[in-house]
Amino acid sequence: MEGLSTTTLLPLPFPGTRDNLTMLIAFVWEQIKAPLIVPLLRVAVFLCLAMSLMLFVERVYMGAVILLVKLFGLKPENRYKWEPIKEDIELGSSSYPMILVQIPMYNEKRAACGLLWPSDRIIIQVLDDSTDPTIKGLVEMECKRWASKGINIKYEIRDNRNGYKAGALKEGMKHGYVTDCDYVAIFDADFQPEPDFLFRSIPFLIHNSELALVQARWKFVNSNECLMTRMQEMSLDYHFTVEQEVGSSTCAFFGFNGTAGVWRISAINEAGGWKDRTTVEDMDLATRASLKGWKFLYLGSLQVKNELPSSFEAYRYQQHRWSCGPANLFRKMAMEIISNKKVSLWKKVHVIYSFFIVRKIIAHLVTFAFYCVVLPATVLTPEVVVPRWGAVYIPSIITLLNAVGTPRSLHLLVFWILFENVMSLHRTKATVIGLIEGVRVNEWVVTEKLGDTLKFKSATKGARRLRFRFSERIHVLELGVGAFLCFCGCYDIMFGKAQFFLYLFVQAFAFFLVGFGYIGTFVRGT
């Protein structure tokens, strides 16, 4: 058209890219928050509160049982007959039962050979699955040294590691000389029983034919090594002081701890022997034996020294196995327990609900889901309210009940809570893997103790220079959760009303501390 000039169309000015992204995120958040996030979060809060109540009731119940045991002197061992073994002059040492002592080991060197018992009535069986030829040679040399002192010690090796510890114990029971034995005592390589261990435990099995197992308590020789070992001591002391004591006191059920215990061999055989279908072969055997009607005794006064893992990597692998295994065992045995006709309904309920569901599954899931995900997320959605009793009061009572096992560490309670919340990340992941039989369900990494680490790194690596590896110390999952908690804390300060920011920042700091590897004893790789 004439008279009309053409003009160039220019784009209107837009805010910067960063502003655009912020506005887009805010817009998307507002669109999905009301119809999706808020309802899901409310359901999550309800489920977490329900699980917290289940855990609370369980803790209060166990606390009440322990209180009654202490007040009225109802120690489990008082219900069973115990008399010292009397040596018969005519029979001599043959009046003592034949004992097998199994020591499964993998690239470890220590052994429990100082037990007092007639030398012709005890067999020490070292089950060495070591792959390191240097360590294997050291173990064999140690066995020969004990044999030269008159100890009846058998050094047994396999050409594979099938079944890991369960496979080694199963193979060990197949040797001909085991048929002469009545009982088997099991000690991991780093456990150091007192010389009178057998004299204190075996009489319970001799005089009480219904007993299949006598389990001793663990005593930690390196609990003061670092803050992480103190935290472990608090958790394990509760397990032994409360959980094991309650299971034994109520004749309900408690699991074998895999070491520092004595089994009646006929009970092992009746239960079907060792199985390697999970990474908790000890719990598997104990559950099957219990379903056969056998009883167990926890002997808290009988303590066996051992070492706690002091590096975070070793502890993380241990906790994966201890969390994944029980969940996977529950998946495999739930229907077998329900359909069993040899045990009472009370024992079934205790094993399924109390032992497996609450202690081995819910305790891990609720700790991480509630305190590290759901509670922080409610800061971003003021429409979702968490009652104070669920966010503060119940967790506080549960924490105090957990602390009764280690009174000397009461002042470390806050550190313990923060550390347990961090570890709940790995325990939750492992529990889910166990329930769905994920990729790492049968992963078995032997828990490396600092004593063995330092000895064998120098023995096998010589004078090779230690180097720092970035991947050895950085843990991405912990850093990710720490960043999420930190973001929620900042949001709470600026826009929120929940006033959880103090907890969020402190917990985020704990995750960052672990994420950057500043916990435990760090041994650099070579």
Side-chain angles (χ1 to χ4, degrees):
M1 294 182 185
E2 294 183 7
L4 292 177
S5 61
T6 58
T7 57
T8 304
L9 295 176
L10 297 174
L12 294 172
F14 283 93
T17 305
R18 183 177 298 177
D19 293 336
N20 270 343
L21 182 61
T22 303
M23 292 172 64
L24 178 62
I25 292 173
F27 174 76
V28 172
W29 173 252
E30 288 302 324
Q31 292 300 308
I32 66 172
K33 185 172 76 168
L36 181 63
I37 302 299
V38 170
L40 285 177
L41 204 52
R42 281 178 176 155
V43 171
V45 168
F46 173 78
L47 292 175
C48 287
L49 290 175
M51 289 191 291
S52 293
L53 282 172
M54 293 168 70
L55 188 60
F56 171 74
V57 171
E58 178 69 12
R59 292 290 189 263
V60 170
Y61 159 72
M62 289 194 291
V65 172
I66 287 299
L67 187 62
L68 291 174
V69 168
K70 299 295 183 185
L71 288 177
F72 297 101
L74 303 175
K75 285 285 186 181
E77 58 265 34
N78 295 339
R79 294 197 313 272
Y80 296 99
K81 183 180 179 182
W82 186 94
E83 290 181 3
I85 299 175
K86 297 176 182 178
E87 189 167 340
D88 191 303
I89 298 176
E90 294 182 0
L91 296 176
S93 62
S94 61
S95 60
Y96 290 83
M98 195 74 180
I99 308 295
L100 175 69
V101 178
Q102 288 186 314
I103 307 172
M105 56 174 56
Y106 173 73
N107 291 344
E108 299 157 297
K109 179 170 173 282
R110 285 167 279 185
C113 293
L115 293 167
L116 292 176
W117 202 256
S119 59
D120 61 332
R121 305 299 293 171
I122 186 171
I123 302 172
I124 308 292
Q125 188 185 64
V126 178
L127 305 169
D128 189 12
D129 275 359
S130 299
T131 54
D132 189 312
T134 303
I135 297 172
K136 192 172 254 185
L138 291 172
V139 173
E140 187 173 10
M141 190 184 305
E142 185 77 2
C143 290
K144 289 178 179 178
R145 187 175 71 85
W146 281 103
S148 66
K149 295 181 178 181
I151 301 295
N152 187 2
I153 188 166
K154 308 289 186 181
Y155 178 65
E156 308 290 358
I157 59 174
R158 303 187 292 164
D159 57 3
N160 59 70
R161 287 195 69 217
N162 294 341
Y164 303 107
K165 182 178 176 180
L169 292 170
K170 186 176 181 178
E171 285 297 315
M173 297 296 287
K174 292 179 179 178
H175 293 282
Y177 54 81
V178 175
T179 57
D180 298 327
C181 299
D182 304 295
Y183 311 106
V184 55
I186 302 170
F187 299 100
D188 284 350
D190 64 309
F191 277 69
Q192 307 162 42
E194 295 297 327
D196 64 347
F197 179 91
L198 296 176
F199 279 101
R200 295 176 62 184
S201 58
I202 293 296
F204 282 107
L205 294 167
I206 292 175
H207 298 296
N208 303 277
S209 59
E210 71 275 24
L211 279 180
L213 166 70
V214 175
Q215 172 69 60
R217 179 176 176 172
W218 299 1
K219 181 178 177 61
F220 313 109
V221 297
N222 67 327
S223 57
N224 292 322
E225 189 170 306
C226 60
L227 185 60
M228 194 183 79
T229 53
R230 287 291 290 272
M231 302 299 100
Q232 292 178 66
E233 180 191 40
M234 293 177 72
S235 299
L236 288 170
D237 275 354
Y238 177 81
H239 169 69
F240 284 107
T241 306
V242 179
E243 292 180 342
Q244 298 291 73
E245 192 86 44
V246 168
S248 187
S249 299
T250 57
C251 295
F253 172 77
F254 67 88
F256 174 44
N257 293 119
T259 179
V262 187
W263 276 91
R264 189 186 302 273
I265 291 179
S266 60
I268 294 177
N269 295 333
E270 186 182 341
W274 294 101
K275 293 186 178 181
D276 59 3
R277 55 183 173 173
T278 70
T279 56
V280 283
E281 73 294 324
D282 44 8
M283 191 181 295
D284 189 345
L285 176 61
T287 305
R288 285 183 282 113
S290 179
L291 294 178
K292 293 291 185 181
W294 289 98
K295 294 181 180 179
F296 307 150
L297 170 63
Y298 169 68
L299 205 56
S301 58
L302 183 59
Q303 300 185 0
V304 180
K305 296 177 182 177
N306 73 297
E307 186 180 343
L308 292 163
S310 58
S311 76
F312 180 68
E313 183 181 18
Y315 184 57
R316 187 159 51 94
Y317 280 124
Q318 182 199 67
Q319 292 303 296
H320 174 86
R321 190 171 76 247
W322 286 5
S323 303
C324 180
N328 191 234
L329 181 63
F330 174 70
R331 173 192 168 107
K332 286 178 164 63
M333 290 200 67
M335 292 309 300
E336 183 181 342
I337 296 169
I338 292 171
S339 60
N340 183 275
K341 300 186 186 306
K342 285 192 175 182
V343 297
S344 65
L345 178 63
W346 158 245
K347 179 169 280 192
K348 289 182 185 180
V349 170
H350 180 84
V351 174
I352 291 176
Y353 174 79
S354 181
F355 183 79
F356 278 112
I357 294 179
V358 177
R359 296 187 212 168
K360 305 302 180 183
I361 297 175
I362 283 178
H364 302 324
L365 297 181
V366 73
T367 303
F368 179 70
F370 194 24
Y371 305 116
C372 300
V373 178
V374 174
L375 197 60
T378 59
V379 169
L380 309 177
T381 54
E383 299 91 338
V384 181
V385 179
V386 180
R388 191 172 292 274
W389 61 265
V392 179
Y393 300 144
I394 282 184
S396 299
I397 296 172
I398 290 175
T399 301
L400 289 173
L401 289 173
N402 281 340
V404 300
T406 317
R408 79 182 187 100
S409 297
L410 199 61
H411 62 291
L412 299 174
L413 206 54
V414 173
F415 297 101
W416 180 77
I417 294 170
L418 297 173
F419 179 67
E420 285 293 292
N421 287 350
V422 173
M423 289 308 303
S424 69
L425 165 64
H426 295 286
R427 292 175 184 141
T428 297
K429 184 176 69 170
T431 300
V432 172
I433 289 172
L435 288 173
I436 66 174
E437 286 202 311
V439 177
R440 296 177 58 196
V441 67
N442 288 318
E443 179 184 76
W444 183 289
V445 178
V446 174
T447 304
E448 196 174 51
K449 308 296 175 65
L450 184 64
D452 291 325
T453 303
L454 296 180
K455 285 178 185 176
F456 298 134
K457 273 188 181 292
S458 59
T460 61
K461 304 297 182 182
R464 290 163 68 177
R465 189 177 177 182
L466 295 178
R467 295 177 307 216
F468 175 75
R469 290 179 183 171
F470 185 76
S471 60
E472 287 181 353
R473 195 145 192 173
I474 299 299
H475 305 287
V476 177
L477 282 177
E478 284 84 350
L479 294 177
V481 176
F484 168 70
L485 293 171
C486 195
F487 169 76
C488 292
C490 293
Y491 188 94
D492 194 28
I493 288 178
M494 292 187 291
F495 310 108
K497 299 177 182 179
Q499 297 181 338
F500 288 147
F501 62 86
L502 182 59
Y503 159 72
L504 293 172
F505 284 137
V506 174
Q507 188 64 70
F509 178 75
F511 270 98
F512 285 137
L513 201 67
V514 176
F516 286 113
Y518 288 101
I519 188 167
T521 303
F522 179 68
V523 181
R524 291 180 176 181
T526 55

